[in-house]
Amino acid sequence: MSEVTVTVRGEHEARIAPERATILVSVHAEGPERTSVVEHVMNLAEPVRNSIAERTDAGTVVDWTSKRLSVRAERPWNNDGKRLAPVYYASIDFTATFSEASELSIWVSDISLWDGVEVGWVNWHLTPRTIARVESEVAAAAVGVAVSRAQAYASALGLGEVTPLEIADVGLISSGQPAPAVAMMKSRVGAFSADAAPAMEYEPDEIVIAATVEARFLAR
């Protein structure tokens, strides 16, 4: 056997602790009069806004947003099937991105006890700079795995040198169709409950960045 074509797949992954946590917090109020409900929710939202601004000045919050006031009205039914007077619901949403999980935990433990505050989802993630760096490193490592695997096959066949012919994302060599990106990131999303105990702690899962490539070599 003088030469043979070898097609292999290379995989690699990295596990990294999250660098950022983005949290959603909503402030709610309800009542029979629209004006008073709007005024109430604005008053409830003010200390939340101030607490986020303070942490932004301190550097523990790196970015935050506040969505505009949302108001809706509903007319409930009583047990006799009669429509009652309208009830007005108002809400204001905040998102804040923390640079430290411990600071997030402390903040949530505080505000979860405040009147009208509901704590929603938490998205743990990396900075764009870290994502770009790790994706590049993982993709290169996946190619290295493919080369090593091809060389192992060649050696098993009594051949020596392997020369690369093609390398591509998964599926492109075999079908020519678009495939998933070389690097894929996934992270676990956590959530806090407004009814949780004051001494709240939260440990995020590691974020997994994985790469898979397919490669074709000529073994001689």
Side-chain angles (χ1 to χ4, degrees):
M1 183 182 297
S2 59
E3 63 180 36
V4 65
T5 300
V6 179
T7 303
V8 296
R9 179 173 293 181
E11 309 94 358
H12 188 74
E13 71 176 32
R15 295 177 177 271
I16 306 172
E19 299 172 300
R20 299 285 187 267
T22 300
I23 186 171
L24 170 68
V25 173
S26 300
V27 181
H28 301 272
E30 62 181 78
E33 296 183 358
R34 187 181 191 280
T35 302
S36 62
V37 169
V38 170
E39 183 178 353
H40 188 204
V41 79
M42 295 293 287
N43 290 335
L44 294 175
E46 190 62 22
V48 177
R49 182 179 288 105
N50 290 339
S51 69
I52 295 175
E54 290 172 1
R55 284 160 177 79
T56 301
D57 293 338
T60 56
V61 170
V62 296
D63 186 34
W64 70 281
T65 62
S66 175
K67 293 186 178 180
R68 62 184 181 181
L69 173 70
S70 174
V71 183
R72 76 178 195 278
E74 295 182 5
R75 293 191 62 185
W77 300 82
N78 64 13
N79 294 334
D80 298 326
K82 180 180 178 180
R83 295 294 293 272
L84 303 178
V87 177
Y88 293 91
Y89 300 88
S91 65
I92 298 176
D93 291 341
F94 295 90
T95 60
T97 300
F98 283 75
S99 59
E100 297 180 15
S102 59
E103 291 295 332
L104 171 65
S105 180
I106 293 171
W107 184 68
V108 170
S109 296
D110 291 340
I111 67 167
S112 61
L113 301 178
W114 295 358
D115 186 26
V117 173
E118 179 180 329
V119 181
W121 49 258
V122 178
N123 178 32
W124 302 95
H125 52 99
L126 302 171
T127 62
R129 181 176 181 178
T130 297
I131 293 173
R133 175 181 60 81
V134 177
E135 283 182 347
S136 178
E137 293 171 353
V138 169
V143 173
V145 171
V147 173
S148 297
R149 187 168 292 170
Q151 187 63 63
Y153 288 169
S155 298
L157 295 172
L159 301 173
E161 178 185 0
V162 293
T163 303
L165 299 177
E166 290 182 86
I167 186 165
D169 293 353
V170 176
L172 288 180
I173 287 181
S174 59
S175 66
Q177 298 300 314
V182 170
M184 299 168 289
M185 185 176 72
K186 60 180 180 179
S187 61
R188 182 177 178 180
V189 176
F192 287 110
S193 168
D195 298 327
M200 187 184 305
E201 295 183 1
Y202 194 82
E203 291 296 331
D205 287 346
E206 291 181 322
I207 293 175
V208 179
I209 299 181
T212 303
V213 298
E214 290 180 345
R216 183 166 289 151
F217 297 84
L218 183 63
R220 294 187 176 90

